Amino acid sequence: MPNYFALVPAAGYGSRMGNQLPKQYLILAAKPMIYHAVKTLCQSHKIARVFVVLSPQDPEWQKYDWAEFSNKLTVLYCGGETRAQSVLNGLAAAPGQFTVEPDDWILVHDAARPLLIQSQLTLLMDALADDTVGGLLAVPVADTLKRSDANKCVRRTEPREHLWQAQTPQMFRYKMLVDALDKTINMNITDDASAIEAMGFHPRLVHCKDYNFKITYPQDLELAELIIQKRKNQCIP
Ligand code: C5P
């Protein structure tokens, strides 16, 4: 039976948040944002180990106490210039810390998606358990999509049928993911599934029906705060 590992790329700067502090460390529900996803991943009984990939110069991580996750968490200071490079560096460094087999599952999850909960993890792992390729959480596009020119004038309306917004976790076999990222590292890809797609595979989309949006703009943080509070009141793990 393959093992499950999580890898959290957290070496970005989050420039669109307009804040000096990298966004994974902005305070959300009294904790640095990254804490929330790390907690959910560490509390999953199926996940053997959680790797967090930080920038080699990260000055923030050590300001917090992570002792509650010490039996599950490994921190790797090997982030790269892009998200894909951070993931690839993390995947290369992980086996030095823990035995990882080629067919083990890797769940890559953005530090900037703090709303991940156990039911979403279970949904993804159950849906893909027997899949030969793997896949990702995603939501069907709800808005009408416009393609613009450089002056922000509409050039055309894109049909939204069969269009999805990719989320994370994205779950693939260790070796397949390393090989795919390695071959596509200069292709400007923004998620792991794109690398797998470029190899000719077709990752499965698993419809995520609960909140799991990425914190990108300041207003996202306000909404996430409200959702965490609501879930707390309803005792949702
Ligand atoms: O910038 P974006 O929101 O797409 O980043 C998604 C995730 O990838 C974040 O958790 C961010 O910290 C991470 N990342 C990284 N290394 C980079 C850029 C982004 O680990 N060089």
Side-chain angles (χ1 to χ4, degrees):
M1 288 296 280
N3 279 317
Y4 290 82
F5 296 98
L7 187 137
V8 182
Y13 296 100
S15 49
R16 287 170 293 188
M17 286 296 285
N19 202 299
Q20 286 288 67
L21 199 62
K23 66 178 168 182
Q24 56 272 27
Y25 294 113
L26 294 178
I27 298 301
L28 172 63
K31 298 283 184 188
M33 189 192 302
I34 187 174
Y35 171 92
H36 300 280
V38 165
K39 181 177 179 193
T40 300
L41 293 165
C42 285
Q43 285 182 342
S44 164
H45 299 304
K46 269 198 161 177
I47 294 176
R49 197 86 202 160
V50 178
F51 299 98
V52 170
V53 180
L54 302 178
S55 152
Q57 296 86 31
D58 185 298
E60 296 297 320
W61 178 267
Q62 292 193 353
K63 293 182 183 169
Y64 299 96
D65 181 5
W66 302 95
E68 65 184 292
F69 307 125
S70 57
N71 62 335
K72 274 275 182 91
L73 191 59
T74 297
V75 181
L76 305 167
Y77 285 87
C78 63
E81 280 296 300
T82 61
R83 180 189 184 280
Q85 191 67 63
S86 294
V87 173
L88 186 56
N89 291 354
L91 291 173
Q97 311 285 329
F98 217 81
T99 305
V100 185
E101 301 292 343
D103 272 349
D104 283 342
W105 286 113
I106 307 292
L107 285 88
V108 182
H109 182 69
D110 290 336
R113 290 186 193 272
L115 297 178
L116 182 71
I117 48 177
Q118 290 304 326
S119 58
Q120 295 166 343
L121 269 183
T122 308
L123 178 79
L124 183 72
M125 290 192 274
D126 287 355
L128 300 177
D130 299 322
D131 203 284
T132 48
V133 175
L136 58 147
L137 290 181
V139 283
V141 166
D143 294 322
T144 300
L145 294 177
K146 306 289 184 192
R147 184 168 302 273
S148 75
D149 58 22
N151 299 319
K152 296 186 193 155
C153 290
V154 173
R155 277 290 163 252
R156 63 173 183 270
T157 300
E158 300 284 355
R160 67 181 177 209
E161 198 191 9
H162 299 311
L163 275 186
W164 294 69
Q165 281 179 264
Q167 300 184 337
T168 68
Q170 303 202 350
M171 176 173 145
F172 297 103
R173 307 271 182 186
Y174 178 80
K175 185 171 185 317
M176 188 188 280
L177 184 56
V178 170
D179 290 349
L181 285 169
D182 198 39
K183 290 202 178 83
T184 55
I185 205 66
N186 295 319
M187 284 172 52
N188 207 13
I189 57 163
T190 51
D191 74 345
D192 316 288
S194 303
I196 300 285
E197 292 154 40
M199 299 295 99
F201 297 110
H202 302 287
R204 186 171 297 277
L205 294 161
V206 180
H207 188 168
C208 181
K209 294 186 178 158
D210 208 328
Y211 297 108
N212 183 29
F213 54 83
K214 188 168 71 172
I215 308 291
T216 305
Y217 303 107
Q219 63 270 29
D220 299 333
L221 203 58
E222 287 174 32
L223 185 55
E225 188 92 36
L226 292 173
I227 292 164
I228 289 176
Q229 198 50 55
K230 179 171 167 265
R231 285 173 172 171
K232 221 179 202 165
N233 295 342
Q234 295 173 340
C235 300
I236 295 174

